[in-house]
Amino acid sequence: MHITGHMIFLVTTSLFLYLHGMAVQIKRNILLHTFFLCSLLSILKISHGTETDILCLKSIKNSLEDPNNYLTSSWNLNNNTEGFICDFDGVECWHPDENRVLNLKLSNMGLKGQFPRGIVNCTSLTGLDLSVNDLSGPIPSDISEILRFVTTIDLSANRFTGEIPTALANCTYLNTLKLDDNMLTGEIPKEFASLIRLKTIDFADNQLYGEVPNFDSVVKVNYANNRGLCGGSLRPCSSTRDKQDDFHQSFKGGLIIGYVFSFIFSVMVTCMFYSKCAHWVHQLKKRKNIPLNKAKELGKYVCSIASRRTRMVVNQMHELLNSQMVHNERKEISVLLERLISTIWLEELRDATDCFAMDNAIGVGKMGMMYQATLSNGQLLAVKRLFDSELFKRQFLLETMIMGRYIHNNIVPLLGFFIEGKERLLAYPYMSNGRLSKWLHPLESEVIRLKWHDRINIALGIARGLSWLHHTCDLGIVHFNICSECVLLDENFEPKISNFGEAKFMNPNIEDHLGTMFKVNDGKKDVYDFGSVLFELMTGKTYNELSRSYDTSDLCANPLSFYNVIDKSVTGEGLENEVCTLLKIACECVKPLPDQRPTMLEVYNNMSNVRKGQNDSVNDSDTLRGVEYASSITIDEIVEF
């Protein structure tokens, strides 16, 4: 038994040692395999990061304009060595020998274009700086899908527009967000308050409005120069007034619905009465004891009651709808004005006009007084000071939006404006030759004369400016008040269109909150007004003035009959054929039906041909070449002035 027990012990020990050796070997093999797999996965991951990050930089380079050649000269993407992108300007890598982008710092490079969506391929990116460039358009609504792991975003000092996307609140790693000095509109998303890692956020110098989010006290926030913002550390929001406005609008909306149903009901009743009237008259005719005249009178009386009721309902409904539209327009304009930020100092304009001294007054219009101003550097300005800040809200808004945003050689530029309290000031360059009307209707004591060459130059310049506004400008601006009073002449007698206070838009931008309140279908009103100015340039009288003295239908049928009314300063220069040609163009412009009138581009084309016929070597010849559009000029050629 002792031997057997000893043998069992030896066998058991041997078996244990054998199994232990097998376990050690298996563990060693597992460790070796695990190390191999991890290494392989790491290699694959690096390879994938390399490919996507190179694609990311390629996409950024191709999607942006690079006028200063920063990317063109530095980003050579034809290299295949590991870590080569880490030497690019503005690129920081996780490791110098690894093509994985950590940060993109492309600040102050003069880059142009929209937000480069190709950044989504930089999958390991933690910081993005595109500040101080010329980027425009909206910030992508899915930006959190493009920048998944960023801790810093700097888009400041660009021209980004539209609303701040709520998706930025999904960038949960954000420490710093800078959106200042752009043209962003709308409200700041309330969801931003949930960014628990946020330390700094900047919204300054935009056009934001509404109640601000409730940020934690440790977050450094900058709201400067956003007059529409309220709440938090800013002025309190006027919620009571808003509720009253909402009630007022709801109440009016209910009234309108009621009147609509009342109108429909009245129409139905009127139709029923008319049919009944005819039936009653027919029945009464058969009754010999009731005279026919009395039957007719009874029928007319009953029908007139229904007719008057219908007209009354229609008139009341129109009045209510108009008051509703006016209220909405005023409210929208007030909101837009609140977002305007002065671009020139009041003190500077006071000094330049000697405190708006009457000695510096150069004109007065329905909106306000015009002053000549002299800046400290000697530059001359024309400063318009509005009479009533409440009465001319719409005009002030349109002048700042149009003349301050769009630049064209035949449009008076807005150099700056001031808005605070009840003070409204607009500053323009001084036009030494004043209004066109002064030259067409001089005082008896003034000996001034416009030669034919100057007149046709002025007409062509006005047509060029209107063509650009209608057909090239993104909003499709219609001036709605073209006349010789609204055309200014610089020192070279180049015409400049001014006074955009009544303007409307063929293509209103909803993002700019213009909506439909300034909407118009076409520019044929401007075409008619331009035709009237053409008559005034050649005859000294507008089309309406001529219509009161002559049968204009006969005159337009035979332009030669205009000869007796042509301005005496034009006759005798051997230019009668050209005058007659322009008279024909003017007659086309003032046709009674808008659809019969040409577009401003067609007018400009036809007039430029008259100009070329007069002098083929005129300076405009370079800008008038192109594929013919009813004559010779394309839309694109009107842009570059």
Side-chain angles (χ1 to χ4, degrees), residues 98 117 223 231 276 329 541:
E98 183 181 346
R117 295 185 62 87
Y223 298 121
K276 286 291 184 183
E329 180 176 323
K541 296 182 180 180

mmCIF file with all atom_site columns, all heavy atoms in Angstrom, residues 98 117 223 231 276 329 541:
data_model
loop_
_atom_site.group_PDB
_atom_site.id
_atom_site.type_symbol
_atom_site.label_atom_id
_atom_site.label_alt_id
_atom_site.label_comp_id
_atom_site.label_asym_id
_atom_site.label_entity_id
_atom_site.label_seq_id
_atom_site.pdbx_PDB_ins_code
_atom_site.Cartn_x
_atom_site.Cartn_y
_atom_site.Cartn_z
_atom_site.occupancy
_atom_site.B_iso_or_equiv
_atom_site.pdbx_formal_charge
_atom_site.auth_seq_id
_atom_site.auth_comp_id
_atom_site.auth_asym_id
_atom_site.auth_atom_id
_atom_site.pdbx_PDB_model_num
ATOM 1  N N   . GLU A 1 98  ? 3.986   61.315  -37.782 1.00 0.00 ? 98  GLU A N   1
ATOM 2  C CA  . GLU A 1 98  ? 2.694   60.678  -38.020 1.00 0.00 ? 98  GLU A CA  1
ATOM 3  C C   . GLU A 1 98  ? 1.759   61.677  -38.692 1.00 0.00 ? 98  GLU A C   1
ATOM 4  O O   . GLU A 1 98  ? 1.565   62.789  -38.211 1.00 0.00 ? 98  GLU A O   1
ATOM 5  C CB  . GLU A 1 98  ? 2.100   60.226  -36.678 1.00 0.00 ? 98  GLU A CB  1
ATOM 6  C CG  . GLU A 1 98  ? 0.782   59.495  -36.807 1.00 0.00 ? 98  GLU A CG  1
ATOM 7  C CD  . GLU A 1 98  ? 0.236   59.105  -35.434 1.00 0.00 ? 98  GLU A CD  1
ATOM 8  O OE1 . GLU A 1 98  ? 0.981   59.153  -34.441 1.00 0.00 ? 98  GLU A OE1 1
ATOM 9  O OE2 . GLU A 1 98  ? -0.958  58.775  -35.383 1.00 0.00 ? 98  GLU A OE2 1
ATOM 10 N N   . ARG A 1 117 ? -16.107 71.963  -45.664 1.00 0.00 ? 117 ARG A N   1
ATOM 11 C CA  . ARG A 1 117 ? -16.703 70.753  -45.095 1.00 0.00 ? 117 ARG A CA  1
ATOM 12 C C   . ARG A 1 117 ? -15.743 69.561  -45.132 1.00 0.00 ? 117 ARG A C   1
ATOM 13 O O   . ARG A 1 117 ? -15.941 68.577  -44.426 1.00 0.00 ? 117 ARG A O   1
ATOM 14 C CB  . ARG A 1 117 ? -17.985 70.401  -45.840 1.00 0.00 ? 117 ARG A CB  1
ATOM 15 C CG  . ARG A 1 117 ? -19.091 71.433  -45.691 1.00 0.00 ? 117 ARG A CG  1
ATOM 16 C CD  . ARG A 1 117 ? -20.368 70.953  -46.362 1.00 0.00 ? 117 ARG A CD  1
ATOM 17 N NE  . ARG A 1 117 ? -20.862 69.730  -45.738 1.00 0.00 ? 117 ARG A NE  1
ATOM 18 C CZ  . ARG A 1 117 ? -21.656 69.692  -44.681 1.00 0.00 ? 117 ARG A CZ  1
ATOM 19 N NH1 . ARG A 1 117 ? -22.050 70.814  -44.117 1.00 0.00 ? 117 ARG A NH1 1
ATOM 20 N NH2 . ARG A 1 117 ? -22.063 68.544  -44.181 1.00 0.00 ? 117 ARG A NH2 1
ATOM 21 N N   . TYR A 1 223 ? -20.927 89.620  -25.216 1.00 0.00 ? 223 TYR A N   1
ATOM 22 C CA  . TYR A 1 223 ? -22.097 89.894  -26.050 1.00 0.00 ? 223 TYR A CA  1
ATOM 23 C C   . TYR A 1 223 ? -22.016 91.255  -26.744 1.00 0.00 ? 223 TYR A C   1
ATOM 24 O O   . TYR A 1 223 ? -23.002 91.699  -27.338 1.00 0.00 ? 223 TYR A O   1
ATOM 25 C CB  . TYR A 1 223 ? -23.367 89.903  -25.187 1.00 0.00 ? 223 TYR A CB  1
ATOM 26 C CG  . TYR A 1 223 ? -23.696 88.611  -24.488 1.00 0.00 ? 223 TYR A CG  1
ATOM 27 C CD1 . TYR A 1 223 ? -23.793 88.558  -23.102 1.00 0.00 ? 223 TYR A CD1 1
ATOM 28 C CD2 . TYR A 1 223 ? -23.932 87.451  -25.207 1.00 0.00 ? 223 TYR A CD2 1
ATOM 29 C CE1 . TYR A 1 223 ? -24.122 87.386  -22.445 1.00 0.00 ? 223 TYR A CE1 1
ATOM 30 C CE2 . TYR A 1 223 ? -24.256 86.268  -24.565 1.00 0.00 ? 223 TYR A CE2 1
ATOM 31 C CZ  . TYR A 1 223 ? -24.349 86.239  -23.177 1.00 0.00 ? 223 TYR A CZ  1
ATOM 32 O OH  . TYR A 1 223 ? -24.672 85.076  -22.545 1.00 0.00 ? 223 TYR A OH  1
ATOM 33 N N   . GLY A 1 231 ? -31.548 89.765  -21.266 1.00 0.00 ? 231 GLY A N   1
ATOM 34 C CA  . GLY A 1 231 ? -31.512 88.713  -20.271 1.00 0.00 ? 231 GLY A CA  1
ATOM 35 C C   . GLY A 1 231 ? -30.120 88.503  -19.714 1.00 0.00 ? 231 GLY A C   1
ATOM 36 O O   . GLY A 1 231 ? -29.143 89.095  -20.179 1.00 0.00 ? 231 GLY A O   1
ATOM 37 N N   . LYS A 1 276 ? -83.021 85.051  -56.729 1.00 0.00 ? 276 LYS A N   1
ATOM 38 C CA  . LYS A 1 276 ? -84.391 85.226  -56.258 1.00 0.00 ? 276 LYS A CA  1
ATOM 39 C C   . LYS A 1 276 ? -85.036 86.472  -56.880 1.00 0.00 ? 276 LYS A C   1
ATOM 40 O O   . LYS A 1 276 ? -86.224 86.495  -57.200 1.00 0.00 ? 276 LYS A O   1
ATOM 41 C CB  . LYS A 1 276 ? -84.413 85.331  -54.730 1.00 0.00 ? 276 LYS A CB  1
ATOM 42 C CG  . LYS A 1 276 ? -84.173 84.011  -54.021 1.00 0.00 ? 276 LYS A CG  1
ATOM 43 C CD  . LYS A 1 276 ? -85.363 83.066  -54.235 1.00 0.00 ? 276 LYS A CD  1
ATOM 44 C CE  . LYS A 1 276 ? -85.178 81.776  -53.459 1.00 0.00 ? 276 LYS A CE  1
ATOM 45 N NZ  . LYS A 1 276 ? -86.298 80.843  -53.733 1.00 0.00 ? 276 LYS A NZ  1
ATOM 46 N N   . GLU A 1 329 ? -45.126 95.158  -40.633 1.00 0.00 ? 329 GLU A N   1
ATOM 47 C CA  . GLU A 1 329 ? -43.971 95.805  -41.256 1.00 0.00 ? 329 GLU A CA  1
ATOM 48 C C   . GLU A 1 329 ? -43.245 96.698  -40.261 1.00 0.00 ? 329 GLU A C   1
ATOM 49 O O   . GLU A 1 329 ? -42.015 96.666  -40.162 1.00 0.00 ? 329 GLU A O   1
ATOM 50 C CB  . GLU A 1 329 ? -44.418 96.614  -42.473 1.00 0.00 ? 329 GLU A CB  1
ATOM 51 C CG  . GLU A 1 329 ? -43.270 97.318  -43.184 1.00 0.00 ? 329 GLU A CG  1
ATOM 52 C CD  . GLU A 1 329 ? -43.727 98.027  -44.441 1.00 0.00 ? 329 GLU A CD  1
ATOM 53 O OE1 . GLU A 1 329 ? -44.607 97.482  -45.141 1.00 0.00 ? 329 GLU A OE1 1
ATOM 54 O OE2 . GLU A 1 329 ? -43.205 99.115  -44.723 1.00 0.00 ? 329 GLU A OE2 1
ATOM 55 N N   . LYS A 1 541 ? -38.619 118.516 -69.815 1.00 0.00 ? 541 LYS A N   1
ATOM 56 C CA  . LYS A 1 541 ? -39.890 118.218 -69.166 1.00 0.00 ? 541 LYS A CA  1
ATOM 57 C C   . LYS A 1 541 ? -40.033 116.715 -68.983 1.00 0.00 ? 541 LYS A C   1
ATOM 58 O O   . LYS A 1 541 ? -39.603 115.937 -69.840 1.00 0.00 ? 541 LYS A O   1
ATOM 59 C CB  . LYS A 1 541 ? -41.068 118.743 -69.995 1.00 0.00 ? 541 LYS A CB  1
ATOM 60 C CG  . LYS A 1 541 ? -41.098 120.265 -70.143 1.00 0.00 ? 541 LYS A CG  1
ATOM 61 C CD  . LYS A 1 541 ? -42.313 120.703 -70.945 1.00 0.00 ? 541 LYS A CD  1
ATOM 62 C CE  . LYS A 1 541 ? -42.348 122.220 -71.085 1.00 0.00 ? 541 LYS A CE  1
ATOM 63 N NZ  . LYS A 1 541 ? -43.532 122.678 -71.866 1.00 0.00 ? 541 LYS A NZ  1
#
